[in-house]
Amino acid sequence: MAKKPSFLNDLNERQQKAATHTDGPLLIVAGAGSGKTRVLTYRIAYLIEQGKAHPGEILALTFTNKAAREMKERIQKLIGDEAKKLWMGTFHSVFSKILRFEAEKIGFTSNYSIYDTDDSQNAIKQILRENNYDPKEIQPRTIHRRISDAKNQLILPGQYKERFVHSTLDDITARIYGMYVERLKHNNAMDFDDLLIKPIQLFSEHEDVLEKYQDRYKYILIDEYQDTNHAQYKVTNMLAKKYKNLCVVGDDAQSIYSFRGADITNILNFKEDYENAVEIPLEQNYRSTKAILKAADSIIKQNTGQLEKTLWTDNDTGETITVLDNYDERDEANRVANYINELKMRKGYQFNDFAILYRTNYQSRVFEETLRRKGITYQLVGGLSFYQRKEIKDVLAYLTLLSNPDDDTNLLRIINEPSRGIGNKSLHDLTSTARQTGQSLWRILKNVEDANLYKPAENSVKEFVDMIQELKADLKNNVSLTDVTKKLLKKSGYMKSLVEENSPKSMTRRENIIELQNAISYFEKNTKNPKLSSFLQEISLITDTDKYDEDKPAVTLMTVHAAKGLEFPVVFVVGLEEELFPVGSRNYEDVNIEEERRLFYVAITRAEDQLFFSHCRSRYKYGEEKPMMRSRFLDEVSSDVVRTETGSTINQNKSRFSNGSSDSEYDGNTKVEYDWKKPLYNKNNRNSNQGTTIHYDNPDEDPFQVGAKVEHSVFGPGKIINRTGHGERTKVVVFFKDRGRKTLMLRVAKLSVIG
């Protein structure tokens, strides 16, 4: 047996056990700050050192490019340049590379375009208009969200119509879904969801291809497994089926992405899905003080259906958590800024030691204004991405056309940008011809003399086609991407139009385009065999977190969702008010309170040394000042570690959101009444034909709790993963293996408990 590597001495006993368990399925339940990245990197290094696998036989999947880079750098320090041969990256980046190699087997070419959300919505908008729907009434964003949800549940267009057509919008979605899939194929394009579901199609239709990648990836590791959706679960299950060496790392307490399809049951049911799976909990926290950890533990323990673990730490007890009680959002921002300046002077913190975390992006505005006024530098993570700005999207559309001229969506974006005399009627006629003949718009443009256009428009089209052909020829003749981009900007007249506009806005756009040119130049100088398609793929997969610079001397502003995986010495969790955090309405019927609580847990565990909770008594909404009530989470957190600014304990009311309660809380100057209906209990006739009877003499007898396995007459077997409301208004979220996640009104759902 090979000698035990000395680097394992850096790990504690549990971490060593996880890193050296090499054969068979393994679930590492890694609590916040427990060193999961270290365990993953050391496990990969151990596999290579022990000769269990060559670097090219290991596949490591993460959720951010930043995490993948960090892991690869750490592994390289342990084992040297062998780490460069690892297949490591986000799900989307890894599978997009596989699809580049295998695209022709499923009817695409290797230079396919990758559509981001904006591109997808533009394609849907075009389809809506072509079918005489008004995009202002039937919003492309809504249709795209529904299609994305269906794709992530592996529901195809034909199946969508069978399962979901219950309303006019369902019917329209079903129609547009099928057309959208055809349009993507026609454009030789895939959207983000396709990067996960097309590999499943590939592996299902070509067993030889599946076996090739099963043999290539003998060991598979997945980070943040609690954030995987059904498609990610399915594709990794297919790859791991032969050798079963699947190691997943995650924390069910940090599952916060159900809104984009993440399915917490993937981690909760791992040991059921993989026979003989070993579970190893990592419970020692290296990040936070005892006080912060106690606050986090007191919150998360109130959720149900969790994997067993209790975090502990050898760190100092630390300071108690301070609650800031503010008059309004401006007062809140001002006081947070004052605390930052005070702590910086008194304790020697730097600006990049501070993070301000909020529930929704719009909350950043007041903090930005206040920090600027007080001369505090900051970086905003989230909001409008650099690569989503109009001028950047325009230039990228030109470049995409050079790589994939059959991409109608990007072609239509820039054929008359800047204006070159090709009017809407001409474009309509050209597009109609393309649709009727089944050809790409580019092919119609190349033969524009057959289209009977107005002569000046025809000449403009010919000039446009000649320009694109010339630039494509330059690329083929190995002219650098940097020079081709410069030529494109000149010949298209794009930069000239911004110069002629001569406004502050056009100046900013020119600066942004220059920055894009810098990015292209950097890519070209630092990439082996740089190709345009590779550059377009790389930037299409950039996430908000990838743009976070931890070394920048600036306070970080970001949502709690964006902060996941990061840590800061001092954290301010702001906007802790009902309707904001937890988000939702005062009816609380549609609030996934357990996920909101997990989100609060994530916010707490970002802090290393000092933590502040902040709430407002009033807040401006829709132009009016509205009274606010502090978040229920401030009543749920352990009172032992939370203090007001004066050092006194906070006045908590832990029962104000209990089922059947009728409470009032005097918060500030506003008295808010809560009059909850008491649930009716009657244990007669539990399985009526009208639905799922939920009336019991004793609520403890109610079998429809989180974790219960149930059967539905249409959807089949499933598992309850969340429950909200009470009495007649009780709703449950059920994950059905074959149908995905469904939210059901319990009294009419026709569920029965099984198993």
Side-chain angles (χ1 to χ4, degrees), residues 100-325:
R100 294 283 179 202
F101 293 126
E102 312 291 349
E104 292 183 3
K105 293 183 174 63
I106 54 173
F108 292 80
T109 65
S110 61
N111 65 329
Y112 65 84
S113 303
I114 298 177
Y115 280 9
D116 62 15
T117 300
D118 185 55
D119 297 325
S120 295
Q121 291 178 7
N122 281 337
I124 290 170
K125 183 188 289 185
Q126 292 168 14
I127 295 169
L128 286 168
R129 284 175 174 160
E130 290 167 15
N131 287 272
N132 299 316
Y133 292 115
D134 185 352
K136 293 181 180 178
E137 294 182 5
I138 309 297
Q139 294 190 346
R141 179 174 65 251
T142 301
I143 301 296
H144 176 249
R145 185 176 66 248
R146 285 168 160 249
I147 291 173
S148 179
D149 289 344
K151 283 188 172 187
N152 284 322
Q153 295 178 44
L154 304 182
I155 297 170
L156 301 177
Q159 297 169 316
Y160 190 96
K161 190 167 186 178
E162 293 173 6
R163 300 182 189 184
F164 295 110
V165 178
H166 306 300
S167 67
T168 302
L169 186 57
D170 286 333
D171 186 55
I172 293 171
T173 302
R175 289 188 62 201
I176 300 302
Y177 185 5
M179 296 176 187
Y180 173 66
V181 169
E182 291 175 6
R183 183 63 52 84
L184 287 175
K185 186 79 171 287
H186 179 82
N187 290 0
N188 190 34
M190 299 186 197
D191 63 20
F192 274 10
D193 300 314
D194 287 332
L195 299 181
L196 299 177
I197 66 173
K198 291 300 182 185
I200 297 173
Q201 177 190 345
L202 172 70
F203 295 151
S204 298
E205 294 176 357
H206 301 275
E207 289 188 16
D208 58 324
V209 177
L210 172 59
E211 189 169 355
K212 177 176 78 172
Y213 286 100
Q214 285 176 334
D215 286 331
R216 174 174 291 179
Y217 306 130
K218 292 180 179 176
Y219 286 87
I220 301 173
L221 300 91
I222 305 177
D223 191 14
E224 305 286 8
Y225 192 63
Q226 77 281 347
D227 293 334
T228 53
N229 61 28
H230 188 53
Q232 289 163 327
Y233 165 86
K234 177 71 174 177
V235 71
T236 51
N237 180 268
M238 295 174 82
L239 284 174
K241 199 164 188 178
K242 184 171 184 179
Y243 292 101
K244 295 182 173 58
N245 292 323
L246 176 64
C247 169
V248 302
V249 182
D251 180 7
D252 57 301
Q254 297 185 68
S255 178
I256 58 174
Y257 291 110
S258 67
F259 67 92
R260 66 185 190 196
D263 181 12
I264 194 174
T265 62
N266 289 346
I267 191 168
L268 295 178
N269 293 344
F270 184 82
K271 292 176 74 175
E272 295 178 24
D273 293 335
Y274 295 92
E275 191 178 356
N276 300 320
V278 172
E279 178 179 337
I280 300 175
L282 303 181
E283 298 173 308
Q284 183 175 359
N285 177 284
Y286 292 93
R287 176 187 300 157
S288 306
T289 65
K290 287 184 174 71
I292 292 170
L293 214 56
K294 185 170 184 178
D297 193 58
S298 67
I299 286 293
I300 204 62
K301 281 291 184 354
Q302 299 185 56
N303 275 2
T304 58
Q306 302 178 74
L307 296 172
E308 291 250 347
K309 65 181 175 305
T310 300
L311 293 186
W312 61 276
T313 184
D314 281 334
N315 294 340
D316 294 337
T317 300
E319 298 189 35
T320 54
I321 298 158
T322 303
V323 177
L324 307 182
D325 181 0

Side-chain angles (χ1 to χ4, degrees), residues 10 67 244 277 282 294 323 344 420 448 471 477 489-490 589 660 687:
D10 297 338
K244 295 182 173 58
L282 303 181
K294 185 170 184 178
V323 177
K344 185 173 182 288
R420 49 176 59 93
V448 69
L471 293 167
N477 293 326
L489 290 168
K490 182 178 180 180
E589 291 299 313
N687 294 302

Side-chain angles (χ1 to χ4, degrees), residues 688-718:
S688 71
N689 292 328
Q690 283 70 42
T692 307
T693 303
I694 55 173
H695 305 305
Y696 302 99
D697 287 335
N698 183 346
D700 293 335
E701 294 180 7
D702 185 349
F704 298 99
Q705 302 295 333
V706 174
K709 294 181 179 179
V710 294
E711 180 90 28
H712 188 276
S713 58
V714 176
F715 302 139

Side-chain angles (χ1 to χ4, degrees), residues 231-453:
Q232 289 163 327
Y233 165 86
K234 177 71 174 177
V235 71
T236 51
N237 180 268
M238 295 174 82
L239 284 174
K241 199 164 188 178
K242 184 171 184 179
Y243 292 101
K244 295 182 173 58
N245 292 323
L246 176 64
C247 169
V248 302
V249 182
D251 180 7
D252 57 301
Q254 297 185 68
S255 178
I256 58 174
Y257 291 110
S258 67
F259 67 92
R260 66 185 190 196
D263 181 12
I264 194 174
T265 62
N266 289 346
I267 191 168
L268 295 178
N269 293 344
F270 184 82
K271 292 176 74 175
E272 295 178 24
D273 293 335
Y274 295 92
E275 191 178 356
N276 300 320
V278 172
E279 178 179 337
I280 300 175
L282 303 181
E283 298 173 308
Q284 183 175 359
N285 177 284
Y286 292 93
R287 176 187 300 157
S288 306
T289 65
K290 287 184 174 71
I292 292 170
L293 214 56
K294 185 170 184 178
D297 193 58
S298 67
I299 286 293
I300 204 62
K301 281 291 184 354
Q302 299 185 56
N303 275 2
T304 58
Q306 302 178 74
L307 296 172
E308 291 250 347
K309 65 181 175 305
T310 300
L311 293 186
W312 61 276
T313 184
D314 281 334
N315 294 340
D316 294 337
T317 300
E319 298 189 35
T320 54
I321 298 158
T322 303
V323 177
L324 307 182
D325 181 0
N326 310 287
Y327 176 71
D328 61 13
E329 62 265 45
R330 287 164 184 78
D331 182 34
E332 178 180 52
N334 193 56
R335 297 174 74 202
V336 167
N338 288 342
Y339 267 104
I340 289 172
N341 276 329
E342 179 191 338
L343 289 170
K344 185 173 182 288
M345 292 185 64
R346 185 160 53 88
K347 293 193 173 182
Y349 288 120
Q350 300 303 308
F351 282 142
N352 58 333
D353 291 327
F354 297 94
I356 301 172
L357 307 182
Y358 35 79
R359 179 63 179 82
T360 54
N361 273 309
Y362 76 81
Q363 291 172 260
S364 72
R365 181 185 61 82
V366 177
F367 287 97
E368 289 184 76
E369 292 174 358
T370 303
L371 295 178
R372 279 199 300 267
R373 190 172 66 250
K374 290 182 175 287
I376 298 174
T377 56
Y378 67 89
Q379 61 174 323
L380 179 66
V381 180
L384 183 64
S385 163
F386 175 80
Y387 290 104
Q388 294 300 313
R389 298 179 189 278
K390 179 191 179 302
E391 61 276 11
I392 302 302
K393 292 283 289 183
D394 287 344
V395 177
L396 291 177
Y398 272 108
L399 292 173
T400 298
L401 203 59
L402 301 184
S403 175
N404 177 22
D406 292 331
D407 187 340
D408 289 359
T409 299
N410 278 297
L411 194 160
L412 285 169
R413 182 184 182 102
I414 47 82
I415 189 171
N416 206 37
E417 184 66 53
S419 177
R420 49 176 59 93
I422 307 172
N424 289 335
K425 185 181 183 306
S426 296
L427 284 176
H428 179 269
D429 292 344
L430 291 166
T431 304
S432 296
T433 302
R435 301 289 177 256
Q436 290 166 10
T437 60
Q439 299 180 74
S440 70
L441 183 56
W442 173 249
R443 292 179 185 275
I444 300 298
L445 296 182
K446 286 170 68 177
N447 299 288
V448 69
E449 60 273 2
D450 299 332
N452 297 318
L453 288 187

Side-chain angles (χ1 to χ4, degrees), residues 497-640:
S497 69
L498 294 178
V499 171
E500 290 174 348
E501 183 180 330
N502 194 28
S503 67
K505 194 172 185 179
S506 68
M507 289 287 290
T508 300
R509 287 179 170 175
R510 286 172 58 198
E511 290 169 359
N512 288 336
I513 290 174
I514 291 170
E515 184 59 32
L516 175 63
Q517 290 178 278
N518 293 338
I520 292 171
S521 179
Y522 180 86
F523 168 82
E524 200 159 30
K525 290 176 181 176
N526 292 275
T527 304
K528 186 178 179 181
N529 189 25
K531 293 182 179 179
L532 176 57
S533 59
S534 300
F535 173 74
L536 293 171
Q537 173 177 301
E538 182 175 295
I539 63 173
S540 70
L541 300 173
I542 290 174
T543 65
D544 284 341
T545 307
D546 293 323
K547 297 188 289 291
Y548 163 65
D549 182 0
E550 62 186 13
D551 296 322
K552 185 176 181 178
V555 174
T556 301
L557 300 177
M558 57 177 22
T559 64
V560 182
H561 281 101
K564 190 159 162 296
L566 303 177
E567 56 189 35
F568 303 88
V570 185
V571 169
F572 295 86
V573 185
V574 300
L576 282 168
E577 299 127 36
E578 292 295 316
E579 301 184 61
L580 187 54
F581 199 176
V583 73
S585 68
R586 287 195 172 177
N587 290 325
Y588 302 110
E589 291 299 313
D590 298 318
V591 179
N592 185 340
I593 196 62
E594 294 222 343
E595 178 150 326
E596 289 292 305
R597 195 176 281 119
R598 291 195 293 270
L599 190 61
F600 186 45
Y601 172 84
V602 168
I604 293 171
T605 52
R606 297 314 91 200
E608 297 174 342
D609 304 329
Q610 203 158 350
L611 179 62
F612 292 82
F613 295 151
S614 177
H615 69 94
C616 299
R617 299 188 181 200
S618 66
R619 189 174 288 271
Y620 272 87
K621 288 188 173 183
Y622 309 108
E624 295 182 19
E625 189 174 10
K626 300 286 188 182
M628 304 297 290
M629 183 177 66
R630 75 182 191 193
S631 171
R632 69 185 74 183
F633 297 150
L634 293 176
D635 291 332
E636 295 176 349
V637 70
S638 173
S639 60
D640 295 347

